[in-house]
Amino acid sequence: MINILHKIPSYFLFRLIGWPRKYPINLTLSVSYKCNSRCKTCNVYERNANELSFDEWKKIFKSLGKNPFWVTISGGEPFLRPDVSKIVCSLYDHCHPAIINIPTNGILTGRIQKSVEEITQHCKQSQIVINLSVDEIGDKHDKIRGISGNYQKVMESYKALKSIVAPNLSIGIHTVISKFNVSRIPEIYQHLETLKPDSYITEIAEEREELDTMQADISPEYQDYVKAVDFLIKKLKERRFGRVGMITRSFRIEYYKIAKKILKEKRQVVPCYAGFASAQIAPDGNVWMCCTKAKSIGSLRDVGYDFKKVWFSEQADNLRKSIKNGECYCPLANASYTNMLHDFKSLSRVGSNFISNSLY
């Protein structure tokens, strides 16, 4: 955390006056749209892309340098790429991010375990976070995910990952809160907590261009979502953590409060730093400010894989103005944590949460 806090003033100035021009510190890399799940809350598997090769990713990592602090390797299902561990290790060699997060549906147990072992052994100075997606319990999970036996397989993957002995590995569970499970969040949470994951996080099902869910009837009703996250906030406050876990919990509590306010007021509750401190690279090399809009500001293939030429282009600057002016809003969790880091009021509340919950 200390390593990132000193960079915040420069990003504040970048958003405020356009200088100094900075690379994103929070970067999502979508390595494929392919997926072996058929979720009710996601249609990304229907998208097609001429995927970047390993050599192309390597060129991109060289152009990024040691700027990214937190990198998410996303999909589709990232472990469907047989070279995913090779891609992550190349990312580590060139960019040295502090955190590498990889979400997975947990279906490919053997490949997931082998890849994660390779990643943790090679990327020794990065914290590797594997988040297994679990939206329900047993057959109810399979129904939401659209694959028979998915729940059994994700539990097998969880057990296999927990068997890996690596000081830089954290195994979490991630639940998408949708209209299909919102009323059962207390039961789902209490069951999954018996597994003792290193972390438990949730995200609201929403309309996203990336996931091809625009106009999809998947989001929970506001009042139902409030009940669910109020329960989660209560449980977070009750649970005991170490110092790092306490910091993470304080941010998560604040995120839930912000997400509720965004859904109610339908505006940027906290200034958005997408396009300034966070970004995403699509499987075909197009660069997005965020995955909600999924609007390309340019293709890395068209500029010799030089990230700078796309990131500081006129097209990028025009989209930054739109984001800065509050012309869009969303409760996207990944971007929200970066936004909180750059908002003094949010950081103050996070600090207050940390202090108050450390006293008892």
Side-chain angles (χ1 to χ4, degrees), residues 289-303:
M289 301 301 195
C290 73
C291 64
T292 301
K293 295 173 74 70
K295 186 174 182 179
S296 176
I297 56 171
S299 171
L300 291 167
R301 281 174 165 154
D302 294 340
V303 294

Side-chain angles (χ1 to χ4, degrees), residues 40-173:
K40 290 183 177 181
T41 57
C42 175
N43 299 314
V44 72
Y45 62 89
E46 294 183 348
R47 299 190 63 158
N48 294 310
N50 178 14
E51 295 177 1
L52 293 164
S53 67
F54 166 75
D55 288 336
E56 288 178 303
W57 278 116
K58 187 176 179 179
K59 292 175 183 177
I60 294 168
F61 298 151
K62 287 181 179 179
S63 77
L64 284 167
K66 297 179 182 179
N67 290 290
F69 176 83
W70 170 16
V71 178
T72 298
I73 307 296
S74 184
E77 169 53 44
F79 288 101
L80 276 175
R81 279 197 68 142
D83 60 351
V84 66
S85 62
K86 190 177 176 183
I87 290 172
V88 175
C89 292
S90 179
L91 164 73
Y92 176 80
D93 290 341
H94 293 96
C95 302
H96 297 283
I99 301 169
I100 300 173
N101 171 48
I102 311 176
T104 175
N105 59 25
I107 292 176
L108 302 173
T109 301
R111 181 182 292 183
I112 293 169
Q113 182 179 11
K114 183 175 183 294
S115 296
V116 172
E117 287 174 340
E118 293 172 352
I119 290 167
T120 54
Q121 289 171 10
H122 185 88
C123 309
K124 294 184 183 297
Q125 299 303 313
S126 291
Q127 181 67 32
I128 310 300
V129 182
I130 308 298
N131 277 317
L132 291 147
S133 297
V134 185
D135 292 341
E136 252 288 5
I137 304 167
D139 293 341
K140 291 184 176 68
H141 174 77
D142 294 353
K143 181 176 275 190
I144 291 175
R145 289 274 157 170
I147 298 294
S148 178
N150 193 337
Y151 185 79
Q152 179 181 344
K153 290 175 182 177
V154 74
M155 290 297 107
E156 290 172 358
S157 294
Y158 179 82
K159 183 178 179 180
L161 290 171
K162 276 291 191 178
S163 71
I164 299 174
V165 179
N168 60 332
L169 178 62
S170 176
I171 309 300
I173 292 177

Side-chain angles (χ1 to χ4, degrees), residues 166-198:
N168 60 332
L169 178 62
S170 176
I171 309 300
I173 292 177
H174 172 271
T175 296
V176 176
I177 301 179
S178 68
K179 62 177 289 185
F180 309 110
N181 64 0
V182 64
S183 65
R184 283 181 39 81
I185 289 302
E187 291 84 356
I188 295 168
Y189 170 86
Q190 290 172 353
H191 176 78
L192 295 177
E193 273 296 290
T194 64
L195 300 175
K196 301 186 183 304
D198 296 317

Side-chain angles (χ1 to χ4, degrees), residues 100-355:
I100 300 173
N101 171 48
I102 311 176
T104 175
N105 59 25
I107 292 176
L108 302 173
T109 301
R111 181 182 292 183
I112 293 169
Q113 182 179 11
K114 183 175 183 294
S115 296
V116 172
E117 287 174 340
E118 293 172 352
I119 290 167
T120 54
Q121 289 171 10
H122 185 88
C123 309
K124 294 184 183 297
Q125 299 303 313
S126 291
Q127 181 67 32
I128 310 300
V129 182
I130 308 298
N131 277 317
L132 291 147
S133 297
V134 185
D135 292 341
E136 252 288 5
I137 304 167
D139 293 341
K140 291 184 176 68
H141 174 77
D142 294 353
K143 181 176 275 190
I144 291 175
R145 289 274 157 170
I147 298 294
S148 178
N150 193 337
Y151 185 79
Q152 179 181 344
K153 290 175 182 177
V154 74
M155 290 297 107
E156 290 172 358
S157 294
Y158 179 82
K159 183 178 179 180
L161 290 171
K162 276 291 191 178
S163 71
I164 299 174
V165 179
N168 60 332
L169 178 62
S170 176
I171 309 300
I173 292 177
H174 172 271
T175 296
V176 176
I177 301 179
S178 68
K179 62 177 289 185
F180 309 110
N181 64 0
V182 64
S183 65
R184 283 181 39 81
I185 289 302
E187 291 84 356
I188 295 168
Y189 170 86
Q190 290 172 353
H191 176 78
L192 295 177
E193 273 296 290
T194 64
L195 300 175
K196 301 186 183 304
D198 296 317
S199 63
Y200 177 71
I201 61 175
T202 70
E203 187 167 4
I204 186 171
E206 57 183 322
E207 296 182 0
R208 291 191 204 168
E209 288 288 352
E210 177 198 25
L211 305 183
D212 192 25
T213 54
M214 301 304 293
Q215 285 80 53
D217 184 22
I218 57 175
S219 300
E221 294 295 328
Y222 171 72
Q223 291 299 334
D224 293 334
Y225 179 73
V226 168
K227 289 179 183 178
V229 296
D230 282 350
F231 168 83
L232 294 173
I233 290 172
K234 179 176 179 290
K235 289 300 179 181
L236 279 169
K237 289 181 176 180
E238 291 174 353
R239 187 176 173 188
R240 298 295 89 198
F241 296 88
R243 178 167 291 272
V244 174
M246 292 286 279
I247 294 172
T248 303
R249 175 179 69 175
S250 298
F251 272 97
R252 193 161 298 136
I253 290 172
E254 181 63 15
Y255 163 70
Y256 285 139
K257 293 177 179 178
I258 289 173
K260 288 192 296 181
K261 196 169 183 180
I262 290 172
L263 292 172
K264 183 178 182 179
E265 300 181 10
K266 301 186 184 305
R267 65 178 181 88
Q268 284 185 23
V269 171
V270 174
C272 184
Y273 277 76
F276 299 91
S278 60
Q280 182 159 337
I281 300 176
D284 58 4
N286 278 293
V287 179
W288 305 337
M289 301 301 195
C290 73
C291 64
T292 301
K293 295 173 74 70
K295 186 174 182 179
S296 176
I297 56 171
S299 171
L300 291 167
R301 281 174 165 154
D302 294 340
V303 294
Y305 310 96
D306 187 345
F307 187 83
K308 177 176 64 177
K309 290 182 178 179
V310 172
W311 191 241
F312 299 129
S313 65
E314 182 179 353
Q315 191 170 349
D317 288 339
N318 289 335
L319 191 51
R320 284 192 188 97
K321 290 177 184 177
S322 173
I323 294 170
K324 180 182 175 183
N325 290 336
E327 295 173 10
C328 58
Y329 65 90
C330 73
L332 182 66
N334 190 303
S336 291
Y337 290 110
T338 304
N339 297 344
M340 284 187 278
L341 277 173
H342 293 84
D343 181 63
F344 178 75
K345 291 181 180 179
S346 296
L347 273 182
S348 297
R349 288 191 291 266
V350 168
S352 178
N353 286 335
F354 177 77
I355 293 170

